[in-house]
Amino acid sequence: MNIKEKIGLKVKSMREEKGFSIEHLANISNVDRNYISDIEKGQRNVSITIIEKIIHALDVDFATFFNDKSFVK
Amino acid sequence: MNIKEKIGLKVKSMREEKGFSIEHLANISNVDRNYISDIEKGQRNVSITIIEKIIHALDVDFATFFNDKSFVK
């Protein structure tokens, strides 16, 4: 799995853990819903500013978001 | 400080900790040296694939890289 796919799965699992729809996450993060959908599918080489918006909307820190065995080399 | 500046400072400090020049980091990460220089100055909205290249060249994991008080909200 490449890093874009790993990020996508992590965003999707954290969003679902919060009980958020893609539309809700889009609204509170100020990121387009189609863009979030593409990220979750592993189709976007997402930038650090977009990651920050999504992570903060999910109410977690970078360390928490990336502290996942899927991100280990 | 914005997230681009935080990433830049973290890359610079980890690079210096390893005793790497920008040129050496560029060579082993396969990222252009001018691009790395811009990242360190906080001038690039770096993508996740570039971050991955740099982090792996610095021989750390995402969790270690982002486990820094500067990235806490």
Side-chain angles (χ1 to χ4, degrees):
Chain A
M1 205 187 314
N2 67 38
I3 187 65
K4 295 184 289 182
E5 293 165 331
K6 289 177 187 174
I7 290 280
L9 286 182
K10 185 71 179 182
V11 168
K12 185 178 165 73
S13 76
M14 294 204 83
R15 174 179 63 74
E16 289 176 346
E17 215 171 86
K18 291 275 177 189
F20 293 170
S21 63
I22 288 182
E23 185 152 14
H24 180 64
L25 180 56
N27 287 337
I28 61 174
S29 65
N30 203 29
V31 177
D32 184 80
R33 60 179 288 174
N34 293 313
Y35 200 83
I36 290 178
S37 175
D38 285 352
I39 291 169
E40 290 194 356
K41 290 178 200 150
Q43 294 171 346
R44 292 284 176 175
N45 186 14
V46 65
S47 70
I48 194 66
T49 58
I50 298 286
I51 294 174
E52 184 183 44
K53 284 181 177 186
I54 292 173
I55 283 177
H56 287 180
L58 290 168
D59 199 27
V60 293
D61 290 321
F62 278 92
T64 307
F65 184 85
F66 285 106
N67 186 19
D68 188 303
K69 63 184 185 314
S70 74
F71 293 115
V72 176
K73 280 181 289 186
Chain B
M1 208 187 311
N2 68 38
I3 187 65
K4 295 183 289 182
E5 293 165 329
K6 289 176 188 175
I7 290 279
L9 285 182
K10 185 72 180 182
V11 168
K12 185 178 167 72
S13 77
M14 295 203 82
R15 174 178 64 72
E16 290 176 344
E17 217 171 86
K18 292 274 177 190
F20 292 171
S21 64
I22 288 182
E23 186 151 15
H24 180 65
L25 180 58
N27 288 337
I28 62 174
S29 65
N30 203 28
V31 176
D32 183 81
R33 60 179 289 173
N34 293 313
Y35 201 82
I36 290 177
S37 175
D38 286 351
I39 291 168
E40 291 194 355
K41 291 179 200 149
Q43 292 171 347
R44 291 284 176 173
N45 186 14
V46 65
S47 70
I48 194 68
T49 58
I50 298 286
I51 294 173
E52 184 183 44
K53 284 181 176 188
I54 292 173
I55 284 177
H56 287 180
L58 291 169
D59 199 27
V60 292
D61 291 319
F62 278 94
T64 307
F65 183 85
F66 284 107
N67 186 18
D68 188 301
K69 63 183 186 312
S70 74
F71 293 116
V72 175
K73 279 180 290 185

